[in-house]
Amino acid sequence: MKKLLTILAIFAFALIASDLAFGQTTSAQPAAKRQWYRIQESVLKFGVANEFYDFRVKERVPALKKAGYKHEEVWVAAAVGTAGSLYVIEPLDDLSGYDQAQNRLTKALGEEGARALGKKTSQYFIDGMTHGWLAMSDPELSWTEQMTSAPKIAIVARVKIARGRGADFRNYIKNDYLPVVKKSGARGYQVLSVRYGGDAGEYITLTFFDGFAELEKNDPSNASVLNRVLGEATAQKTVQKTVGVILNVERIIIRFRPDLSILP
């Protein structure tokens, strides 16, 4: 997706909380504060995925760690979405790093070293198929504090909200949809608001699961799950609340790759 995420994502995401981004393993913690996330979607060339994965583990990750990267997650398209899509998500303390004359890799590797690494990285990806977002987590609308281990997959929904209906969307998620998520059997739920790189009024939501069988049975956006949790009559009334508020939703599924990630 430029398309994410329908990520990041998302996302969100992030998909995400300050102590549990798109899959960080932690102990249960209180609700997190708002957190910036850098989300990048790229598309691998056909037939190079395994070669790129090997390069990332052996060369790119060590270089990133040398440059001071502490947390950078990798997710890949799973079953649906653009084949070869790869999502990189990094939590940021703030945006001041973008003010630096030299980026982190250039400072750590020197100009020649950073240029060589960038050239080698780019050879695996389709030109013109990389897109980035800066998004902010919304803990009040999320449910991740109970997650004590990384999920295996996530549904990422890119949600477009009607102009002037942001408050209605937030109220719907907080008071109507989030209670369903908590009873659905999903592992967790994360909401990100897109600040830069996407449309005004765009959100990224991530619903976490441990596998496709669990997703099929417990996806809270499915009518069967809404009916199971709320009863058919209440479920129909709940869905009607989104009319005129949510204009469009794109959904993909992504798989977490801890072997390709940098985790705290």
Side-chain angles (χ1 to χ4, degrees):
M1 103 195 132
K2 239 182 189 148
K3 255 174 208 133
L4 206 285
L5 242 166
T6 67
I7 246 117
L8 92 198
I10 60 180
F11 215 62
F13 6 61
L15 284 65
I16 312 172
S18 60
D19 293 312
L20 187 93
F22 285 167
Q24 176 185 345
T25 302
T26 70
S27 57
Q29 304 207 8
K33 64 179 183 180
R34 287 178 175 266
Q35 172 81 53
W36 280 107
Y37 285 91
R38 173 183 66 87
I39 305 167
Q40 180 176 297
E41 177 195 26
S42 303
V43 181
L44 290 164
K45 295 176 180 177
F46 179 75
V48 305
N50 289 334
E51 184 180 342
F52 169 74
Y53 297 157
D54 187 64
F55 159 73
R56 178 167 173 91
V57 170
K58 293 180 179 178
E59 297 185 47
R60 186 164 180 81
V61 166
L64 293 173
K65 289 181 177 179
K66 183 177 181 180
Y69 283 68
K70 304 297 184 185
H71 187 175
E72 185 179 87
E73 297 187 8
V74 174
W75 294 71
V76 299
V80 297
T82 303
S85 291
L86 182 141
Y87 306 96
V88 175
I89 299 107
E90 180 188 18
L92 302 172
D93 292 333
D94 53 47
L95 302 184
S96 62
Y98 292 104
D99 291 326
Q100 304 302 314
Q102 289 187 322
N103 64 34
R104 289 170 286 178
L105 281 171
T106 300
K107 288 181 179 179
L109 306 179
E111 290 188 5
E112 287 298 320
R115 187 179 300 114
L117 183 69
K119 183 177 180 180
K120 191 166 185 179
T121 301
S122 65
Q123 71 180 348
Y124 295 105
F125 294 96
I126 299 175
D127 291 341
M129 294 291 285
T130 296
H131 187 81
W133 293 261
L134 287 173
M136 180 74 77
S137 67
D138 199 329
E140 188 178 13
L141 305 184
S142 303
W143 181 56
T144 58
E145 63 274 7
Q146 79 293 343
M147 295 173 63
T148 58
S149 61
K152 293 181 172 62
I153 62 174
I155 298 172
V156 183
R158 185 178 175 184
V159 185
K160 176 66 176 176
I161 305 303
R163 184 179 296 275
R165 301 302 297 273
D168 295 320
F169 173 74
R170 289 178 54 81
N171 287 335
Y172 168 75
I173 295 295
K174 181 179 179 180
N175 299 317
D176 296 290
Y177 191 68
L178 193 57
V180 173
V181 173
K182 292 179 178 181
K183 295 179 180 179
S184 67
R187 285 279 315 276
Y189 182 71
Q190 183 69 47
V191 176
L192 302 175
S193 60
V194 175
R195 300 301 179 88
Y196 306 103
D199 294 333
E202 184 177 348
Y203 286 81
I204 294 167
T205 72
L206 300 101
T207 311
F208 300 108
F209 302 92
D210 273 337
F212 279 86
E214 183 180 283
L215 178 153
E216 181 181 14
K217 182 173 65 174
N218 297 326
D219 177 3
S221 68
N222 285 345
S224 60
V225 178
L226 286 169
N227 291 340
R228 165 164 58 87
V229 173
L230 297 176
E232 187 172 349
T234 302
Q236 290 178 354
K237 291 178 182 178
T238 299
V239 171
Q240 284 300 309
K241 294 181 180 182
T242 68
V243 175
V245 177
I246 297 177
L247 298 180
N248 186 58
V249 180
E250 296 179 62
R251 284 153 57 89
I252 62 168
I253 302 171
I254 57 176
R255 187 185 305 277
F256 182 45
R257 290 294 303 263
D259 55 319
L260 305 178
S261 303
I262 300 172
L263 298 175

